[in-house]
């Protein structure tokens, strides 16, 4: 799917005047809204039709840019609040997705469509809007991304299927094999937790995810090599899983050089809670002492003077984010190597 990094919104008449130049080009807005706990990172979803004959699946909050929306971000916030009653704090533009044959979810989004996706970080709150708005673990959609308990079981199936796909490439065989090795860390290559989108794109190209058949108009009776059950993860409406993969990769990279993880933390927390949250987001375990040394060296937190007794063990000191650090350091993040990883 072709992509661009930035777009300019069409003049306002093009949004409500079918005869205006550019009226055929509509703009959609989607939000990957992320919250996290020490156990899992979550994304806010709504239930909606995935497309003609595709049934009802999870989707990201989304809607068209309308004439009353003065900016893209104002339009996004309006749709999110309308669909989920979630008020957004930290928001950044993620990517612009476009394709001349793009499938649009709403009839109000005329084809072809550009969709501007955003990443939003919130402290988890119970949605009070539509009854079908719900927080889901993002590993529900990408089960092969969570290495905290060792190599994810779905990877054995995925690697086997990708090897078969690469072998069938004839002239492209070597290129396919190299891409699988680099993206999925096979045959001794390192696993890069930031390559979430690249892994999903490869599975899509190989026809191993549900969306590949659905969005290409593959006849339902045609044999498909796609992954079944838990190995393939839960499908999402349209290309919302691609948008979410982009958001996860962006966030995993960004926590290494910007203190965005603190947008997901409560006002006060323990260092262990911070470490477990970072591990949940990155999908890898971190070395405890190295993590604490880096947090201290970067001056990211300061003690509150209070103690938490809810640790399951000895009481731990509570800390809070030092906002002054963004003025003191050019890249105050958590650039840490993963701890020992089980490969079995």
């Amino acid at each position: 799917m072709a992509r661009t990094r930035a777009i300019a919104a069409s003049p306002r008449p093009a949004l409500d005047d079918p005869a205006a130049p550019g009226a055929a080009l509509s703009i959609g807005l989607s939000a990957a809204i992320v919250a996290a706990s020490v156990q899992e990172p979550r994304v806010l979803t709504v239930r909606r039709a995935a497309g003609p004959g595709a049934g009802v699946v999870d989707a990201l909050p989304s809607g068209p840019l309308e004439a009353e929306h003065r900016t893209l971000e104002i339009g996004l916030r309006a749709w999110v609040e309308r669909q989920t009653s979630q008020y957004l704090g930290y928001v950044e533009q993620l990517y612009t997705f476009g394709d001349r044959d793009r499938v649009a979810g709403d009839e109000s989004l005329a084809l072809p469509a550009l969709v501007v996706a955003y990443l939003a970080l919130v402290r988890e709150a119970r949605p009070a809007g539509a009854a079908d708005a719900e927080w889901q673990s993002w590993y529900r959609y990408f089960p092969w991304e969570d290495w905290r308990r060792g190599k994810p079981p779905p990877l054995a199936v995925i690697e086997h299927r990708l090897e078969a796909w690469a072998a069938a490439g004839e002239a492209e065989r070597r290129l396919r094999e190299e891409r699988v090795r680099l993206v999925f860390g096979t045959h001794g290559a390192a696993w890069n937790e930031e390559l979430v989108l690249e892994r999903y794109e490869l599975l899509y190209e190989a026809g191993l995810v549900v969306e590949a058949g659905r969005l290409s108009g593959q006849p339902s009776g045609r044999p498909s090599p796609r992954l079944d059950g838990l190995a393939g993860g839960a499908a999402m409406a349209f290309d919302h899983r691609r948008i979410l993969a982009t958001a996860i990769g962006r966030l995993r990279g960004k926590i290494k050089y910007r203190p965005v993880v603190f947008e997901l933390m409560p006002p006060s927390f323990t260092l262990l809670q911070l470490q477990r949250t970072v591990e949940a987001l990155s999908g890898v375990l971190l070395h405890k002492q190295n993590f604490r040394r880096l947090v201290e060296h970067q001056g990211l937190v300061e003690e509150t003077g209070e103690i938490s007794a809810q640790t399951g063990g000895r009481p731990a000191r509570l800390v809070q984010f030092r906002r002054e650090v963004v003025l003191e350091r050019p890249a105050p993040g958590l650039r840490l190597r993963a701890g020992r990883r089980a490969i079995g």
Side-chain angles (χ1 to χ4, degrees):
M1 234 175 233
R3 300 188 189 89
T4 57
R5 282 206 176 265
I7 61 170
S10 302
R12 185 166 294 183
L15 295 172
D16 47 27
D17 180 5
L25 180 63
S26 58
I27 299 174
L29 306 167
S30 291
I33 305 169
V34 175
S37 68
V38 297
Q39 297 298 326
E40 61 183 6
R42 298 183 180 182
V43 59
L44 187 57
T45 65
V46 295
R47 298 287 289 175
R48 62 179 292 179
V56 178
V57 295
D58 293 341
L60 300 175
S62 59
L65 179 67
E66 297 180 333
E68 64 267 24
H69 298 152
R70 291 187 293 107
T71 67
L72 297 172
E73 187 174 319
I74 288 175
L76 176 85
R77 291 177 182 273
W79 277 111
V80 169
E81 291 173 15
R82 187 184 311 176
Q83 294 175 359
T84 70
S85 293
Q86 177 73 56
Y87 294 90
L88 301 181
Y90 178 94
V91 172
E92 67 172 80
Q93 191 173 132
L94 184 64
Y95 220 97
T96 299
F97 296 78
D99 191 285
R100 63 180 299 175
D101 299 317
R102 183 183 177 83
V103 179
D106 296 330
E107 293 180 359
S108 57
L109 281 176
L111 294 177
L114 293 177
V115 169
V116 184
Y118 285 79
L119 169 64
L121 306 181
V122 300
R123 295 186 178 97
E124 186 169 343
R126 183 177 180 84
D132 55 1
E134 187 175 0
W135 290 101
Q136 301 280 5
S137 168
W138 76 28
Y139 294 121
R140 163 179 165 85
Y141 310 102
F142 304 97
W144 54 85
E145 292 290 338
D146 188 0
W147 283 78
R148 289 175 295 170
R149 297 172 184 84
K151 184 174 180 177
L155 277 179
V157 178
I158 288 172
E159 290 168 1
H160 176 73
R161 295 290 187 88
L162 286 175
E163 287 176 2
W165 170 76
E170 298 179 357
E172 299 178 341
R173 177 171 181 170
R174 291 186 62 184
L175 177 59
R176 288 184 175 186
E177 290 175 342
E178 184 67 10
R179 289 174 62 199
V180 172
R181 188 181 75 86
L182 293 176
V183 172
F184 277 89
T186 61
H187 301 290
W191 175 271
N192 184 338
E193 67 273 11
E194 295 180 37
L195 301 182
V196 185
L197 176 62
E198 289 80 356
R199 284 187 280 274
Y200 176 77
E201 294 278 22
L202 197 56
L203 293 172
Y204 184 97
E205 184 179 338
L208 297 179
V209 291
V210 172
E211 292 91 335
R214 181 207 301 155
L215 296 182
S216 65
Q218 176 180 297
S220 58
R222 178 180 172 183
S224 171
R226 66 174 177 256
L227 299 163
D228 297 319
L230 296 178
M236 299 189 78
F238 313 109
D239 57 358
H240 288 193
R241 194 152 50 143
R242 176 177 280 120
I243 294 173
L244 180 55
T246 307
I248 295 171
R250 168 75 67 84
L251 184 55
R252 284 181 169 183
K254 197 158 189 175
I255 60 178
K256 297 177 182 178
Y257 63 89
R258 297 298 298 169
V260 293
V261 67
F262 297 102
E263 300 289 342
L264 302 169
M265 301 299 296
S268 61
F269 47 87
T270 68
L271 288 177
L272 183 59
Q273 288 173 333
L274 177 62
Q275 179 182 336
R276 293 289 183 251
T277 301
V278 173
E279 290 174 339
L281 293 169
S282 62
V284 296
L285 295 180
L286 303 172
H287 187 279
K288 181 177 179 179
Q289 295 306 320
N290 287 349
F291 179 84
R292 296 193 173 206
R293 276 195 292 267
L294 180 61
V295 171
E296 181 180 349
H297 176 73
Q298 293 273 8
L300 294 170
V301 300
E302 59 187 1
E303 294 188 11
T304 65
E306 299 179 352
I307 291 177
S308 172
Q310 301 177 351
T311 60
R314 56 188 297 183
R317 292 175 294 182
L318 288 170
V319 297
Q320 62 188 7
F321 174 52
R322 281 188 66 249
R323 297 199 173 273
E324 297 85 355
V325 74
V326 298
L327 302 175
E328 299 168 355
R329 296 179 177 274
L334 294 165
R335 192 179 298 274
L336 274 173
R337 293 183 178 179
R340 229 156 91 186
R341 180 182 300 156
I343 303 298

